[in-house]
Amino acid sequence: MLNETSTFSSFSVHDIDEAKKFYGDKLGLDTSVNEMGILELHLKGGNEVIAYPKGDAHQAANFTVLNFTVNNIDDVVEFLVSIGIKMEQYEYPKTDKRGIFRSSNKNEGPNIAWFKDPSGNILSVIEE
C-alpha cells in the first residue's frame, strides 16, 4: 500500500527565517515558505524536503538529516569554508584537517564531509 504513495522528508529547525537564509541565500538552494510557515527545499530531481519550526522545543538531530552528492568533495568543502561554514571534525570516522573522511577502499564508503545548519542539524557532502 505505501509503495504506491509519494514521499518527502522533513526535519525541524529553531527558526524558519534563519533556515531560509542559510539554505536559500548561503547554500543557494531553491526555497519557499508555504502558507503554514514551513520551509520547503526544492531539490534537484524534483525531490522535496521540508523544515518545520519548533522554536525553543527544537533539538538538533545527532545524525545526518540531508546529504548532498558532489563530484569533487575538495572543491565543495573549499567553497563551503569560503562562505563561512565550519566543517565538523570527527575521530570516527576519522576526518582530515579539512573535515573530510577519505575512504582508503570502497568497503569504507565514499569520501564524506559534515557540517551543521544554524539549528545544529547535521548535513553532509558525499563524493560520488
Side-chain angles (χ1 to χ4, degrees):
M1 177 180 279
L2 292 180
N3 64 339
E4 303 278 331
T5 67
S6 60
T7 62
F8 66 92
S9 185
S10 65
F11 57 90
S12 71
V13 294
H14 175 72
D15 180 272
I16 289 295
D17 291 332
E18 182 180 57
K20 184 170 180 12
K21 287 177 187 166
F22 178 79
Y23 288 98
D25 298 341
K26 199 162 214 168
L27 295 185
L29 301 180
D30 182 16
T31 65
S32 61
V33 177
N34 69 24
E35 63 279 351
M36 295 186 305
I38 293 173
L39 179 64
E40 298 176 345
L41 306 177
H42 312 285
L43 305 172
K44 183 179 176 182
N47 296 320
E48 299 284 328
V49 174
I50 64 170
Y52 55 92
K54 290 222 32 188
D56 291 339
H58 168 73
Q59 291 185 339
N62 61 1
F63 53 86
T64 308
V65 299
L66 193 57
N67 301 285
F68 298 93
T69 55
V70 301
N71 291 326
N72 186 312
I73 198 165
D74 290 288
D75 289 348
V76 175
V77 166
E78 183 176 324
F79 167 75
L80 292 171
V81 170
S82 78
I83 62 171
I85 293 175
K86 178 185 173 286
M87 305 310 293
E88 295 297 302
Q89 296 287 325
Y90 294 116
E91 285 301 314
Y92 184 80
K94 180 69 175 158
T95 53
D96 66 16
K97 65 182 180 181
R98 297 184 68 206
I100 302 171
F101 165 72
R102 298 192 186 271
S103 176
S104 60
N105 66 63
K106 64 180 171 180
N107 292 332
E108 291 180 338
N111 293 340
I112 184 169
W114 295 269
F115 59 102
K116 293 182 179 178
D117 73 3
S119 293
N121 294 310
I122 302 169
L123 314 174
S124 80
V125 289
I126 299 175
E127 192 170 65
E128 291 185 300

